[in-house]
Amino acid sequence: MKSLHILLLEDTIADSQNIINLLSKDYNITLANTIKKAKDTLASSLFDLAILDISINGKLDGIEFAKHIQSTPTPIPFFFLTSMQSRAVFDQAKLTKPFTYLLKPFNVMELQYSIELVIEKHFEQKNALRSNTGLLTPDYLLIKKQDKICKVILDTIEYVEVEENYSTLYTSNQNHVIKKSLSKIKEMLLDKNFEQIHRKFLINFDKITEINLSENTVYLSPGFQASISERFKKKLIHRYGIIT
């Protein structure tokens, strides 16, 4: 599990420290206090979203940096966190298509909610985090644990155990529960190299260390083993060209 990586553009020491104090427990925060540093940092690191002040060193560099983000091959979502209340400035900022516009002073709940809304809007999966259903991207699943959003890299999931309308995702050192039924979790993962072997288990095929067809058992890398039901055994053999 990884934390979201957030790029913070903020030149006021007190404000930047406040934001970092509020978010650093749950997220990985990288601070840039100039537009040049923000551009260099964005080019050299991978980020999940950006929080931008508008006024940087007396200029509207937050808006300029937002335009820069939009011009990159894979723009990250961003929102403005600013004390600028000018209608003219707001109209300029709005043209960059931020996901929201949060005014200072703010509280931690407003900041957390803004991050959550930005992520959901970016991936166009409404209420996925608030209802604990998980938000799927091509490479990872975003889930909410208490007040923070966590990234579960799909390749790290060993297997999934389904119980009624809930699914538990097991990695080598953690597990994560999301509100997903068997049909929904299959829809999400079967094209990600996951295979159903039992009415309640989906396994990551890359994590298999051994398949014992005579005993109808699959062994995974962390020592987990699960039975293959006859219903899914033929599908498993056919899909992966297993020689029997």
Side-chain angles (χ1 to χ4, degrees), residues 136-170:
L136 182 67
T137 78
D139 300 311
Y140 52 84
L141 181 69
L142 293 172
I143 62 173
K144 190 173 180 184
K145 281 201 167 185
Q146 296 178 336
D147 290 325
K148 67 179 178 179
I149 301 169
C150 305
K151 290 171 66 175
V152 181
I153 308 300
L154 295 181
D155 288 345
T156 68
I157 300 173
E158 308 278 353
Y159 65 97
V160 181
E161 183 175 6
V162 181
E163 193 68 45
E164 295 182 350
N165 290 326
Y166 287 87
S167 297
T168 303
L169 316 175
Y170 290 89

Side-chain angles (χ1 to χ4, degrees), residues 24-231:
S24 60
K25 179 182 176 182
D26 297 326
Y27 303 110
N28 181 13
I29 311 296
T30 297
L31 173 65
N33 57 10
T34 67
I35 188 172
K36 182 182 184 306
K37 184 175 180 181
K39 288 180 177 180
D40 291 344
T41 305
L42 182 64
S44 61
S45 302
L46 295 176
F47 292 93
D48 297 295
L49 65 93
I51 301 174
L52 313 178
D53 192 2
I54 288 180
S55 178
I56 303 296
N57 299 314
K59 299 179 181 179
L60 301 183
D61 281 351
I63 294 176
E64 291 305 309
F65 184 60
K67 293 176 182 177
H68 174 74
I69 290 175
Q70 295 288 53
S71 70
T72 60
T74 54
I76 61 172
F78 65 89
F79 67 94
F80 291 113
L81 177 56
T82 182
S83 58
M84 301 288 287
Q85 299 188 42
S86 163
R87 180 71 204 195
V89 171
F90 174 74
D91 286 341
Q92 288 186 58
K94 189 168 62 172
L95 293 175
T96 66
K97 298 182 180 179
F99 283 86
T100 193
Y101 191 101
L102 185 61
L103 289 172
K104 301 175 184 177
F106 60 90
N107 61 50
V108 64
M109 187 175 293
E110 289 174 324
L111 191 55
Q112 290 283 10
Y113 284 177
S114 294
I115 291 171
E116 190 173 319
L117 286 169
V118 166
I119 293 295
E120 289 188 342
K121 286 181 181 179
H122 179 64
F123 291 104
E124 297 182 341
Q125 297 180 42
K126 294 181 180 179
N127 300 321
L129 297 171
R130 276 164 282 169
S131 58
N132 195 31
T133 59
L135 192 156
L136 182 67
T137 78
D139 300 311
Y140 52 84
L141 181 69
L142 293 172
I143 62 173
K144 190 173 180 184
K145 281 201 167 185
Q146 296 178 336
D147 290 325
K148 67 179 178 179
I149 301 169
C150 305
K151 290 171 66 175
V152 181
I153 308 300
L154 295 181
D155 288 345
T156 68
I157 300 173
E158 308 278 353
Y159 65 97
V160 181
E161 183 175 6
V162 181
E163 193 68 45
E164 295 182 350
N165 290 326
Y166 287 87
S167 297
T168 303
L169 316 175
Y170 290 89
T171 66
S172 59
N173 56 7
Q174 285 184 310
N175 60 67
H176 313 278
V177 178
I178 60 173
K179 191 176 181 180
K180 286 284 186 186
S181 64
L182 176 60
S183 60
K184 293 296 183 182
I185 200 72
K186 283 174 60 177
E187 183 180 317
M188 292 171 62
L189 296 178
L190 282 186
D191 63 345
K192 307 291 185 182
N193 211 31
F194 283 77
E195 185 68 33
Q196 185 173 4
I197 61 169
H198 188 273
R199 64 178 179 82
K200 61 184 295 184
F201 288 114
L202 280 80
I203 50 96
N204 184 341
F205 196 81
D206 289 337
K207 304 299 182 181
I208 293 177
T209 58
E210 182 183 341
I211 301 176
N212 190 320
L213 294 176
S214 62
E215 297 179 358
N216 288 346
T217 305
V218 166
Y219 297 88
L220 302 183
S221 51
F224 171 79
Q225 66 183 68
S227 298
I228 312 171
S229 67
E230 287 295 335
R231 175 184 173 189

